[in-house]
Amino acid sequence: MQPTSNGQQLRARTFRSMGTVVSLTVVSLTVASNTYADTAVDELESAVEVVEGIFAKLDHAFSLYRRGSEASRLARGELTLADASETMRDLYAEASEWRLATEGAFTAERPDGRLDLTGIVKAHAVREAAMSLRALGLQDWCVNAGGDVLVSGSPDPATHDPWLAGILDPLDREALLGAFPLQSRKALATSGSAERGDHIWAVGGARPEFVQASVAAADIVTADVLATAIVAGGTRTLDLVAAKWGVAVLAVRPDGELLATPEFRSAA
Amino acid sequence: MRIRAALATAVASAGILLAGWQSGAHIAETGTATTTSLNSSATSGGIAAGGTNSGGGTTATGPSSAGSGSSSGSSTGSTTAATYDGASVQTRFGTVQVQVTIQSGKITEVTALQLTDAERKSAQISSRAAPVLRSEVLQAQSANVQTIGGATVTSDAYLTSLQAALDAANF
């Protein structure tokens, strides 16, 4: 993106983790003096290193593609939850609470009964990354983990404009369905019924009522879990989610019909 | 003994009253929210502005007021506004009645004349997702967004994604 007239520039770095690509974008000042620009780049390089480390560590423990991972050993029954790491137990507890709250639409158990926390671990990694970025003193940034977005501040701190996230059309991955300004709700997560690894299972094995659901919430785990729950649970869960959590939702039916809460409609 | 029991009862009652007062205040808040979002739901057809009362018979009335009419007949076209009172509709949340203002053939305003019987339930309407047209969703081009949300992409699919293009532009 071109530097804006205010001398702000977005700088992005990416890394691969959890089977997808994570992008970290920060705002840096571009002033005539190269000193500032260099400092900003260094700041970004160290920030991305920290974030990548968080993802790598969690992926190492939670990946079901890695035979020797803690999660794989749990799934095979070689390790019991009681003997698992604190992070594993905490995330399991969190996933269980979400299962209750969403009336079973979100679950960390696969149809074969095996434990699979991969549906929540990516959002957890983003949440952890956010804490580190704040600790590093960064205020204006955007983390995009394979389509799930968490932002802080503004892409242009001079104007305080909110970060604007486009939402992909599930029927045409080069087109956007629309956009959402991440203002009071800083997190936007999207789940699809045909997504990687098919980690969403429609309740009762029925054909999903939605091919995609996007949820904007104050925090990334809530957004991610509820987007997943809506795709799995259909209209019933969509109504439950909108009423119970007050999040913004944009859902797409297989025929392309859209359902949206008021926040997703244009102001006009 | 008896005094102690009476005291306990009194304290419990006070607690219930306090809880009731608090939830009452909460209902008042959500009630306000309802009006706003009922507007948008009705505009998009989420809640019908007309229909039949469960008691039988339509109660829709004709235009109840004529608008400005100031430029009627001028080259800019008619700007006459008319308001219509919708029928009282029984929804699963209770009775809802809306008033619609139509100007130049477009609905310009929808107000709730009657909200649901159960106000707690009506709060659910306010946050419900209703069908919308694509044109009603805030539009954007990939050039004016800073990031792209979507169902998880694989590392391979990322390479040809819009997000990759944005990242490359900002590298």
Side-chain angles (χ1 to χ4, degrees), chain B residues 33-92:
Chain B
T34 304
T35 319
T36 338
S37 39
L38 192 61
N39 288 351
S40 28
S41 307
T43 314
S44 68
I47 294 165
T52 47
N53 192 314
S54 68
T58 352
T59 52
T61 56
S64 55
S65 70
S68 64
S70 54
S71 61
S72 183
S74 79
S75 59
T76 53
S78 168
T79 56
T80 310
T83 52
Y84 296 85
D85 290 350
S88 294
V89 182
Q90 290 295 329
T91 71
R92 64 190 179 107

Side-chain angles (χ1 to χ4, degrees), chain A residues 1 11-12 14 16 19-20 23 122 144 146-147 163-166 168-169 173 178-179 195 239 242 256-258 260-261 265-266, chain B residues 40 127-132 134 136 138 140 144-155 157-158 160 163 167 169-171:
Chain A
M1 200 162 285
R11 296 197 161 276
T14 59
R16 294 163 76 129
T20 187
S23 315
K122 185 169 59 132
N144 186 326
W163 291 89
L164 188 64
L168 273 183
D169 185 341
R173 60 185 294 267
E195 78 186 60
D239 288 344
E257 192 200 345
L258 301 180
T261 54
R265 290 177 206 158
S266 55
Chain B
S40 28
S127 53
R128 279 193 86 195
V132 291
R134 289 196 172 214
E136 292 175 304
L138 178 60
N144 52 29
V145 299
Q146 291 91 31
T147 193
I148 310 279
T152 313
V153 293
T154 60
S155 306
Y158 166 83
T160 55
Q163 181 64 39
D167 289 336
N170 292 330
F171 198 86

Side-chain angles (χ1 to χ4, degrees), chain A residues 112-202:
Chain A
D112 62 10
R114 286 191 174 189
L115 180 66
D116 182 357
L117 291 168
T118 50
I120 200 169
V121 74
K122 185 169 59 132
H124 172 68
V126 175
R127 175 171 63 188
E128 294 284 299
M131 277 174 60
S132 293
L133 291 172
R134 279 184 211 112
L136 287 170
L138 291 170
Q139 281 164 5
D140 303 290
W141 47 260
C142 169
V143 175
N144 186 326
D148 293 337
V149 180
L150 179 66
V151 303
S152 172
S154 161
D156 187 350
T159 61
H160 298 291
D161 285 341
W163 291 89
L164 188 64
I167 296 171
L168 273 183
D169 185 341
L171 310 176
D172 175 4
R173 60 185 294 267
E174 299 200 344
L176 298 180
L177 277 182
F180 190 82
L182 294 155
Q183 212 143 18
S184 58
R185 296 174 174 90
K186 304 284 185 199
L188 174 74
T190 300
S191 285
S193 53
E195 78 186 60
R196 176 178 63 98
D198 271 330
H199 80 246
I200 298 176
W201 311 285

Side-chain angles (χ1 to χ4, degrees), chain B residues 1-29:
Chain B
M1 187 71 175
R2 182 164 285 188
I3 290 170
R4 186 179 287 178
L7 196 66
T9 314
V11 168
S13 310
I16 290 164
L17 279 174
L18 193 65
W21 179 77
Q22 281 173 333
S23 62
H26 182 64
I27 284 167
E29 275 172 34

Side-chain angles (χ1 to χ4, degrees), chain A:
Chain A
M1 200 162 285
Q2 298 305 306
T4 67
S5 54
N6 297 313
Q8 314 287 348
Q9 194 181 358
L10 296 181
R11 296 197 161 276
R13 288 294 182 274
T14 59
F15 60 88
R16 294 163 76 129
S17 187
M18 300 185 182
T20 187
V21 172
V22 182
S23 315
L24 172 65
T25 309
V26 298
V27 182
S28 63
L29 286 170
T30 50
V31 284
S33 156
N34 276 333
T35 332
Y36 284 103
D38 288 348
T39 311
V41 170
D42 288 349
E43 205 172 54
L44 174 59
E45 303 300 353
S46 53
V48 81
E49 204 171 298
V50 170
V51 172
E52 188 170 3
I54 290 168
F55 272 80
K57 196 175 164 201
L58 285 166
D59 188 40
H60 191 79
F62 285 85
S63 174
L64 288 173
Y65 292 100
R66 226 185 288 269
R67 271 195 62 82
S69 75
E70 191 185 356
S72 291
R73 288 168 57 219
L74 258 176
R76 286 194 301 267
E78 296 167 17
L79 181 74
T80 62
L81 209 50
D83 297 322
S85 66
E86 195 182 349
T87 313
M88 185 69 71
R89 280 183 281 128
D90 285 351
L91 273 187
Y92 177 78
E94 197 172 356
S96 304
E97 279 164 25
W98 280 115
R99 182 184 185 152
L100 272 177
T102 60
E103 299 177 359
F106 176 87
T107 173
E109 244 170 58
R110 293 205 257 174
D112 62 10
R114 286 191 174 189
L115 180 66
D116 182 357
L117 291 168
T118 50
I120 200 169
V121 74
K122 185 169 59 132
H124 172 68
V126 175
R127 175 171 63 188
E128 294 284 299
M131 277 174 60
S132 293
L133 291 172
R134 279 184 211 112
L136 287 170
L138 291 170
Q139 281 164 5
D140 303 290
W141 47 260
C142 169
V143 175
N144 186 326
D148 293 337
V149 180
L150 179 66
V151 303
S152 172
S154 161
D156 187 350
T159 61
H160 298 291
D161 285 341
W163 291 89
L164 188 64
I167 296 171
L168 273 183
D169 185 341
L171 310 176
D172 175 4
R173 60 185 294 267
E174 299 200 344
L176 298 180
L177 277 182
F180 190 82
L182 294 155
Q183 212 143 18
S184 58
R185 296 174 174 90
K186 304 284 185 199
L188 174 74
T190 300
S191 285
S193 53
E195 78 186 60
R196 176 178 63 98
D198 271 330
H199 80 246
I200 298 176
W201 311 285
V203 173
R207 190 164 165 266
E209 289 177 61
F210 297 114
V211 290
Q212 182 172 296
S214 300
V215 171
D219 75 282
I220 189 67
V221 174
T222 300
D224 192 33
V225 163
L226 295 181
T228 306
I230 290 168
V231 172
T235 312
R236 205 178 75 87
T237 306
L238 172 62
D239 288 344
L240 170 79
V241 162
K244 193 168 167 181
W245 283 277
V247 293
V249 183
L250 177 67
V252 190
R253 292 204 190 276
D255 63 1
E257 192 200 345
L258 301 180
L259 275 91
T261 54
E263 302 85 354
F264 265 102
R265 290 177 206 158
S266 55

Side-chain angles (χ1 to χ4, degrees), chain B residues 81-107:
Chain B
T83 52
Y84 296 85
D85 290 350
S88 294
V89 182
Q90 290 295 329
T91 71
R92 64 190 179 107
F93 301 105
T95 311
V96 177
Q97 188 186 17
V98 293
Q99 185 179 64
V100 186
T101 304
I102 296 177
Q103 194 160 14
S104 307
K106 281 184 181 170
I107 295 175

